[in-house]
Amino acid sequence: MTEQALINPRIVTWARVRAGLSEDSLAQKLNVKNVQKIIEWESGESRPTFKQAQNIANITNIPFGYLFLPEPPDEELPIPDLRTVANRHVDAVSIDMKEIIKQVMLKQEWYRDYLIKLDEPRLPFIGKYNVNDSVFDVAQDIRNTLGVPLPQKGSWEEYHRTLIKGAEQARILVMRSGIVGNNTRRKLEVSEFRGFAISDDIAPVIFINSSDAPTARLFTLIHELAHLWIGSSGISDLEHSHAEEEKFCNAVAGEFLVPQEAFHRIWNPELSLVMNLTEINRQLHVSKLAAAKRALDCRVIDGDTYWKYYRAELNAFRNQKGGKGDFNINAGAKNSKLFSSAVVAEALSGRMLLRDAGNLLGIKPNNIKTYARKLAL
């Protein structure tokens, strides 16, 4: 007779609900033909085998040992949650979002310790301002620090790359991914969050959800930079939030990308929305979506018009057909070039085990040299 696992039935229910699965869904994933089995495991009427219990843990993305705990663990988010809907905080947080925050914080903690050992100075711009300061002053200070003055040149894609390069030169880690780790089945939902910031005057971090439309990520980048300038960590909601920090950071991002003076100079109410956005794109080299967001801020278009335009951009991005891209390039965006350079340098110098470096970067230890070459580290 197969030995049963003496797990806590309440933990099975907690793990299933936490993973967003119904009893039927869990039964299908476990290859259990009768959903009644799941119901019995959760009521304590029967127990799964050890193999089945291990599969439950794997499917619901929890450590196997959690199934034997007397109570579900407390999983508070380690950074403030600034997302709100209808002026109320969002309570539901997916496992994937929690996991990506943990992964980013693990990297940030390592990098912070690394910089402290090098006796690197504290960054003067972190928390330099607050929400009562001038939006124009903060936007200008970010431009000066990143070394990206107005007017910019080239396409908005080139502008985006220049901003990320400037941020990393200012010692801000910029991490971008649309999945958890390397697991393509664990996609990060744009509807849940678009980015977050960890404010720290030694090793600040910005994370951008790259499941979002590329044109929208530009605004998210500046929004998260504004969080650092006011010394505010948190998960951002660029759409619904009534939090003072979020409204201020939205205003800074709008002023940074499309200065109010330039917007009113270019915008022609006699022209169509598309023609106006095209002209702002041509003169200021920002994405048309960023221009549309500024039009919303300046109240020349309404919210319905903006979100219809945004959803069209997001759908166009999702409908694009393309390959998965180069693994090393994708990993470089996920880790940030700045963080990657530090870890690779430590590993290749022998001061860090290749195994530990591979774990931090999410790549195989024997691939580190290839990774460094691909990213020109």
Side-chain angles (χ1 to χ4, degrees), residues 13 15-27 29 42 56 59-60 95:
T13 305
R16 175 179 61 75
V17 172
R18 175 180 178 271
L21 300 172
S22 65
E23 290 95 335
D24 284 326
S25 300
L26 182 57
K29 290 180 179 290
E42 293 190 10
I56 290 171
I59 289 167
T60 58
I95 328 169

Side-chain angles (χ1 to χ4, degrees), residues 19 21 34 74 101 134 192 199 208 226 234 272 308 313 315:
L21 300 172
N34 189 349
D74 185 8
I101 291 172
S134 163
E192 184 170 33
S199 179
I208 298 170
S272 68
K308 181 180 178 181
E313 286 279 306
N315 289 335

Side-chain angles (χ1 to χ4, degrees), residues 110-153:
W110 181 90
Y111 190 62
R112 190 177 198 281
D113 289 342
Y114 167 79
L115 293 176
I116 289 172
K117 288 175 185 174
L118 294 178
D119 202 26
E120 291 288 345
R122 296 183 181 276
L123 297 171
F125 55 82
I126 300 295
K128 183 177 179 180
Y129 296 91
N130 62 58
V131 294
N132 296 315
D133 285 319
S134 163
V135 165
F136 306 98
D137 290 346
V138 177
Q140 188 58 48
D141 199 63
I142 296 175
R143 286 192 196 104
N144 293 341
T145 303
L146 270 55
V148 187
L150 286 173
Q152 54 269 6
K153 297 179 181 179

Side-chain angles (χ1 to χ4, degrees), residues 169-184:
Q169 286 176 340
R171 216 173 76 203
I172 300 167
L173 298 175
V174 180
M175 300 181 177
R176 297 159 287 156
S177 183
I179 59 175
V180 180
N182 297 323
N183 192 338
T184 55

